[in-house]
Amino acid sequence: VVAGDQVELDVHVRDHRQHEVQIVAVNAVEVPTVPEIQRLQVGVADANPFTLKFRGQTTGNLVAATATAADIEAALELLPTINGGVTVSLEGDDTGQGEWF
């Protein structure tokens, strides 16, 4: 369960001294997700692979020289700890340095 998921629990309790079953239904309060901006600075021409980690889950290998924004978005959205809504873009300059966010 991650933030933003709704959780419902049914607890069934039987009192063996009496012939009844009590059922308690509990609805957990939904925790809203908070949009964040994470920045990653890499050399765009760098051919070494890298991975990204979020809440203990790691993406597959990505290569800055060939990865597109769509590749990075797809890798992040495959993580079970991310519940969609990923947007990746690149800011760069002529020096071959860039910043994915």
Side-chain angles (χ1 to χ4, degrees), residues 23-97:
I23 299 174
V24 178
V26 178
N27 284 319
V29 177
E30 182 178 341
V31 178
T33 57
V34 178
E36 295 183 24
I37 296 176
Q38 303 290 329
R39 294 182 181 270
L40 171 66
Q41 190 168 13
V42 295
V44 177
D46 192 351
N48 293 322
F50 67 95
T51 59
L52 301 173
K53 190 176 208 178
F54 185 74
R55 292 188 180 159
Q57 299 294 316
T58 306
T59 66
N61 284 339
L62 297 161
V63 178
T66 58
T68 64
D71 294 335
I72 295 174
E73 282 180 24
L76 289 169
E77 288 191 349
L78 285 174
L79 299 179
T81 51
I82 293 182
N83 195 12
V86 174
T87 303
V88 175
S89 60
L90 173 68
E91 273 185 7
D93 56 31
D94 295 335
T95 66
Q97 296 296 310

